[in-house]
Amino acid sequence: MTIEKVEDRTAASSDKAAAAGAGSRDIRARRGLLLSKNVAFRRKLFSWSSRSLLLLITATSASAVMFIFFYVVKEAIPFFLQRGFAEFFLSTRWYPSREPPEFGALAIFFGSAMVSLGAALFAVPVGVAAAVCLSDILPFKARQAVKPAIEILAAVPSVAYGFFALVVFAPLLQESGGKILAACALLFFVPIAVLSAIAIGGMAASRLSRENAGVWRWIIASVIAAAGLAAAWRISASISGVQISSGTNAMNVSLILGIMALPTVISVSEDALQAVGRELREASYALGATRAETIIRVVIPAAASGILAAALMGLMRAVGETMVVWMASGNSAKIPSPFYNYLEPVRTLTATIAGDMGEADHTTGSARYHVLFAMAACLLAISLTCNAVSELIARRARRKMAGE
Amino acid sequence: MRIETRKLLDKSFSGAGWISVFLMVAALAIILLPIAWRGAGAFVFRATVEHRRMMLELFGVGDPAEVSAETAAAAEARRPIYDMLARFRAELSAMPVADRRRMAGRLAQLENALRDLLGPLPGDPIPVLPRQRYGQTRWDRALKKLETVLFRETWDYSDPTRMGRKVMVPRAEDFKGTSLEPFFADVKMRVADMLRPKLAFYWRFLTDESRDSHFFGGIWPEMLGTIYLTIGAAMFAVPMGIISAVYLTEYAGDDRLTGALRTFIGALAGVPSIVFGLFGLAFFINTMKVSQSKSVLAGSLTLALLILPTIIRASEEAIRAVPAAYKEAALSLGAGKGRTIITVVLPAAMPGILTGIIISMGRAAGETAPIIFTAAVSVGDPLSLLETLSQPTPALPWNVYNMCTEHQKLDELRHVQFGMVLVLVMVVLALNVAAIWLRARISRKLKG
């Protein structure tokens, strides 16, 4: 009888899926044991109560997010009751300390969107390229060497990034912004020019003639490359005269936020690329595709949804970041003119909350205090939605992968 | 396309991948190197005699006899300079009125610059602020201040199409034809004798209290505040996190409730850090009233919420990685479920859990936004353990922000700012490296 009981227990607990049912089966097994009813009851009570205690604690930690949502929204409601929705979302006039105060947050929303978009523009291409490199191109040893760099990038505190942006990078931009921009433009356009020259040259040559394709290829490619390089040079030369009047601007912040979002983008999209599996890759190689063709035509499309989720998470990281934007965005609550001008200072939701609470703190109960909670509520809504969407995408992608 | 083209494209594609990895590593280096290099300047620098005098008088460090001998030597070197000034002052009173007024203004400017460089002039009353009681303590700062003694800064607006241009006018020209004209060449020649720079290793930067809002001394209050906040956050988050992970892995069934719990915990990880700060203010301070206003306790609770999801996730993974055979062996020996978890599963999972805890402590140490409204102040004394329940504290991340944006003399204290950032980054990275090392050990052990 004892042996039977032990077997029963083992079977019940080792089977994870049936873990929930384990309790009841356990008890059934115990009933066979030679225990008094009293002891059996006490044991049952103990196991039940400890289990519910654990559940209670888990539920507490899980409900923290509900609590946060509840309290932020609760503090935000008085603002909307007092001032309505239209001004907050549609006006760009942000003068909270004036008499009468104005709480138009459109420019601040715009600033947040602008820097996050800028960060994504940098982080997504570089991050996805790096993830591809890590999962498909780099040899194992090199990958082991790069991984810690990514972890360090993720671990450096945001205030250190902000410090760098404000104390090192901003003066540099102010002093020789044009040259830096020109160098970046060169760095961006030259590889594109060379790549497209090779591709177009190759395609055109194989169309033109069969016999002298090699020669033609080189001629066309070098002509296109020369033209492309000349264009890149012109562009960067024209940029190099730009004077940046303030180093604390949207571009500075976007770049730093992009760097901060890189680890997220890289690790999530690398997971997606890894999940594609060897079979697809090997099938593509077997059909004669090169590694680049395999990656672009097969691996990336198969991992597209995972990469999308990575991009969303990177975006979210940038939206929610406080210290960098507070320190280095210039904190000017107006829409730059023209609206895509990244060289002007902007102001974001997070920076406004962090910066204005100090002054609003003392007048708890005023619209000035509650408007910051309204912003936090919007921020929370945005990030929770992003989170949910990326989770959904990732889950669907996993199911699709499993289905194949 | 021909095969050569395709191969070439393939190569250049790989090149693009390499470039992006290189960009990432380069970005890391570009950000960390200036911080490391200039941050090291807070610890190792050429210190002047003023530094040694200050250390002796404010912190009681150094050999009194040696320092007083050196101060005397420096004073000896300074005497000719001061004599020159005194002579000029006498000369001034004999000048015609218009000249006298102009020269007196220039002299006052010069004297202020000189006070900045060397400390109070002879005959000055002893200033109240420590920062005015001493000259420049660092040789690099002293050389900058020497410039302001030698040159006067004016702005040239003669070209209306451009922004104003800074022009440095030698003060020697201002005093042309007076007895003070050779003064400047003399100051320049003697500055090393007057300040006696020597290489100093100021390790006590970590453990000294700060004097006169970080003009002198170290960053101990900030260090201590960060330690309190980090450990406090871990104290609240670790038990909850581990228990939640145990429940989720060992007890929870595959039902709706578990799914909801997991979703909520995942959502908690996505909440922006500033929102945690607002919540901490609205809930822990304004509603629960854990303390009158900002306190270490409220900050720790807020940070605990922030790191909770990380700890839960890491512990879950670690518990799942425990081989089923361990559990089965324990159960077959007759241990109950609870006993199995406490005596077998958790010890086996402990290194993994510890890794998660260390990483999240690194995160808590570096986070600024959640403690702005709940725990951080810019100036304060180191707290005792009991005071953490009710008092706010300076903390490294907050003070980095504060010192480089709001300090009244932020340009002059770059070395302290960089030192603080370096210490913060080193603390966080050390925690992370410890975690990486621990994880490598675990994976080695699992491989056998």
Side-chain angles (χ1 to χ4, degrees):
Chain A
M1 183 159 273
T2 330
I3 291 169
E4 196 184 300
K5 177 226 149 201
V6 167
E7 265 179 10
D8 196 345
R9 263 198 186 180
T10 318
S13 337
S14 66
D15 190 356
K16 264 190 204 150
S24 58
R25 240 191 283 171
D26 238 341
I27 292 155
R28 220 183 301 137
R30 273 205 200 102
R31 207 171 286 155
L33 212 63
L34 295 174
L35 287 171
S36 73
K37 248 193 187 153
N38 199 0
V39 172
F41 176 73
R42 242 188 295 154
R43 280 205 179 168
K44 197 167 128 189
L45 192 72
F46 179 72
S47 115
W48 183 85
S49 60
S50 61
R51 198 191 134 105
S52 4
L53 187 71
L54 289 186
L55 175 61
L56 189 75
I57 290 171
T58 312
T60 312
S61 39
S63 63
V65 70
M66 303 285 285
F67 255 89
I68 290 174
F69 199 78
F70 173 75
Y71 266 90
V72 169
V73 170
K74 192 190 107 187
E75 296 281 343
I77 286 171
F79 171 76
F80 290 117
L81 286 181
Q82 218 173 315
R83 311 280 310 188
F85 287 93
E87 185 199 25
F88 183 66
F89 288 111
L90 297 177
S91 157
T92 60
R93 297 176 58 80
W94 173 258
Y95 298 110
S97 55
R98 241 187 222 175
E99 205 50 56
E102 293 182 65
F103 295 105
L106 184 62
I108 297 174
F109 276 99
F110 186 84
S112 263
M114 194 164 163
V115 295
S116 316
L117 201 71
L121 277 181
F122 172 78
V124 172
V126 174
V128 171
V132 165
C133 197
L134 280 178
S135 82
D136 281 61
I137 295 173
L138 281 184
F140 183 75
K141 279 240 170 92
R143 200 185 312 165
Q144 292 309 93
V146 174
K147 275 272 165 79
I150 298 175
E151 278 179 42
I152 291 175
L153 211 54
V156 171
S158 59
V159 72
Y161 282 112
F163 182 78
F164 173 83
L166 176 67
V167 176
V168 182
F169 195 44
L172 208 65
L173 271 182
Q174 211 156 323
E175 242 162 59
S176 48
K179 281 174 206 140
I180 294 173
L181 284 182
C184 290
L186 271 185
L187 211 67
F188 180 70
F189 284 117
V190 166
I192 289 183
V194 171
L195 266 182
S196 54
I198 296 170
I200 297 173
M203 272 190 279
S206 51
R207 289 273 159 79
L208 270 177
S209 73
R210 295 245 163 240
E211 304 93 71
N212 295 328
V215 182
W216 274 111
R217 195 162 58 103
W218 281 114
I219 292 172
I220 296 173
S222 47
V223 167
I224 293 174
L229 289 181
W233 185 253
R234 273 306 299 275
I235 291 172
S236 76
S238 68
I239 294 177
S240 70
V242 171
Q243 288 264 336
I244 299 178
S245 56
S246 162
T248 52
N249 55 33
M251 191 189 77
N252 180 344
V253 172
S254 298
L255 196 63
I256 303 290
L257 284 181
I259 292 172
M260 290 176 72
L262 265 184
T264 316
V265 176
I266 292 177
S267 60
V268 178
S269 50
E270 200 207 340
D271 282 348
L273 292 169
Q274 293 280 348
V276 170
R278 286 180 71 117
E279 296 85 353
L280 279 181
R281 290 187 173 91
E282 279 165 5
S284 170
Y285 289 139
L287 290 173
T290 61
R291 187 161 63 181
E293 287 160 353
T294 305
I295 291 169
I296 291 173
R297 300 241 177 99
V298 178
V299 180
I300 289 182
S305 47
I307 290 174
L308 190 66
L312 262 179
M313 282 169 123
L315 200 67
M316 216 172 69
R317 172 104 210 252
V319 172
E321 177 48 50
T322 310
M323 292 319 286
V324 174
V325 289
W326 191 19
M327 291 164 93
S329 71
N331 287 331
S332 127
K334 61 184 199 316
I335 294 179
S337 64
F339 68 90
Y340 50 81
N341 187 353
Y342 266 87
L343 299 180
E344 280 198 16
V346 293
R347 182 174 195 152
T348 69
L349 290 171
T350 49
T352 308
I353 296 173
D356 282 17
M357 188 49 100
E359 287 133 53
D361 211 44
H362 313 293
T363 53
T364 304
S366 72
R368 201 163 171 208
Y369 172 81
H370 292 297
V371 70
L372 301 178
F373 279 89
M375 285 180 174
C378 295
L379 210 58
L380 198 56
I382 294 169
S383 56
L384 289 186
T385 316
C386 269
N387 205 19
V389 170
S390 66
E391 192 87 341
L392 207 72
I393 293 172
R395 195 177 302 165
R396 190 175 296 170
R398 266 201 300 276
R399 208 175 303 148
K400 203 172 108 193
M401 279 294 141
E404 280 169 8
Chain B
M1 267 192 276
R2 289 167 57 93
I3 188 74
E4 287 93 340
T5 317
R6 289 172 54 200
K7 270 189 188 159
L8 212 58
L9 270 179
D10 183 48
K11 288 254 166 61
S12 28
F13 181 79
S14 307
W18 277 98
I19 286 176
S20 61
V21 169
F22 171 76
L23 261 182
M24 192 188 67
V25 177
L28 188 64
I30 287 172
I31 288 171
L32 289 186
L33 283 182
I35 290 176
W37 173 245
R38 294 186 60 182
F43 295 93
V44 182
F45 57 96
R46 284 161 72 85
T48 63
V49 62
E50 299 290 319
H51 173 77
R52 293 183 280 279
R53 201 156 66 83
M54 179 273 292
M55 287 305 289
L56 183 68
E57 288 174 11
L58 295 185
F59 295 96
V61 178
D63 178 14
E66 205 175 296
V67 172
S68 65
E70 219 182 356
T71 312
E76 190 59 35
R78 288 172 196 191
R79 185 174 310 144
I81 301 285
Y82 291 146
D83 285 350
M84 255 173 161
L85 271 180
R87 220 176 306 137
F88 180 73
R89 255 183 238 118
E91 194 183 304
L92 195 66
S93 52
M95 277 185 189
V97 178
D99 276 358
R100 194 196 305 167
R101 195 167 295 159
R102 207 181 64 228
M103 283 299 177
R106 288 174 179 173
L107 181 65
Q109 271 192 9
L110 173 66
E111 282 178 344
N112 276 337
L114 209 60
R115 280 193 191 101
D116 251 6
L117 177 66
L118 299 176
L121 302 181
D124 283 357
I126 292 178
V128 182
L129 284 177
R131 76 183 77 162
Q132 291 162 351
R133 237 178 278 159
Y134 303 96
Q136 290 302 316
T137 54
R138 298 169 60 93
W139 183 239
D140 52 344
R141 294 291 319 156
L143 288 179
K144 288 238 171 67
K145 288 289 176 190
L146 179 65
E147 291 286 298
T148 66
V149 171
L150 298 181
F151 296 93
R152 178 166 55 87
E153 185 186 305
T154 54
W155 289 83
D156 175 18
Y157 295 108
S158 55
D159 184 357
T161 58
R162 290 184 61 97
M163 282 193 282
R165 216 154 43 85
K166 198 157 74 172
V167 187
M168 305 299 272
V169 181
R171 282 188 205 272
E173 277 176 25
D174 289 353
F175 292 96
K176 214 169 187 108
T178 68
S179 68
L180 220 51
E181 201 183 337
F183 174 84
F184 299 95
D186 215 28
V187 169
K188 196 172 178 184
M189 199 181 69
R190 283 168 191 276
V191 67
D193 286 337
M194 294 191 296
L195 287 170
R196 310 173 72 87
K198 253 193 255 168
L199 196 66
F201 295 90
Y202 184 37
W203 301 120
R204 293 172 52 111
F205 182 67
L206 285 176
T207 53
D208 271 347
E209 287 176 33
S210 99
R211 292 292 156 86
D212 196 6
S213 54
H214 286 293
F215 263 86
F216 304 121
I219 54 171
W220 178 240
E222 286 78 14
M223 292 281 291
L224 193 67
T226 296
I227 293 169
Y228 278 147
L229 283 169
T230 311
I231 291 179
M235 252 167 49
F236 291 115
V238 165
M240 278 191 82
I242 293 180
I243 290 174
S244 304
V246 165
Y247 177 80
L248 284 174
T249 47
E250 298 289 331
Y251 288 92
D254 200 12
D255 53 7
R256 278 259 171 90
L257 176 67
T258 313
L261 288 178
R262 273 179 210 284
T263 311
F264 283 144
I265 290 170
L268 190 61
V271 174
S273 55
I274 186 79
V275 177
F276 279 104
L278 274 190
F279 172 72
L281 174 67
F283 183 69
F284 292 127
I285 295 180
N286 288 350
T287 310
M288 297 276 284
K289 305 229 187 290
V290 297
S291 56
Q292 204 69 48
S293 63
K294 294 176 184 180
S295 71
V296 176
L297 179 64
S300 304
L301 284 167
T302 312
L303 285 173
L305 282 186
L306 180 87
I307 61 176
L308 191 57
T310 322
I311 292 184
I312 293 179
R313 206 165 285 173
S315 314
E316 262 193 90
E317 256 169 51
I319 292 174
R320 265 183 227 289
V322 174
Y326 286 24
K327 268 184 271 180
E328 284 159 13
L331 289 168
S332 71
L333 287 174
K337 187 159 183 159
R339 189 176 290 261
T340 308
I341 289 169
I342 290 170
T343 57
V344 175
V345 176
L346 281 182
M350 208 23 100
I353 296 176
L354 217 56
T355 312
I357 292 173
I358 293 173
I359 283 183
S360 56
M361 278 172 79
R363 173 121 194 259
E367 276 291 345
T368 321
I371 61 171
I372 300 173
F373 318 128
T374 53
V377 287
S378 20
V379 182
D381 292 327
L383 300 182
S384 72
L385 209 53
L386 196 67
E387 282 172 322
T388 56
L389 296 178
S390 57
Q391 298 288 318
T393 176
L396 277 176
W398 167 253
N399 279 64
V400 167
Y401 166 79
N402 186 267
M403 285 215 38
C404 72
T405 57
E406 285 168 8
H407 197 283
Q408 65 194 110
K409 293 270 186 189
L410 52 91
D411 267 338
E412 301 200 357
L413 297 177
R414 291 288 181 219
H415 56 280
V416 184
Q417 297 164 10
F418 272 99
M420 243 186 226
V421 178
L422 179 66
V423 171
L424 177 65
V425 170
M426 289 320 280
V427 166
V428 172
L429 287 191
L431 285 172
N432 273 272
V433 167
I436 292 173
W437 175 79
L438 203 61
R439 198 168 43 208
R441 246 188 58 159
I442 298 166
S443 70
R444 252 209 320 274
K445 208 167 118 190
L446 282 185
K447 272 181 203 156

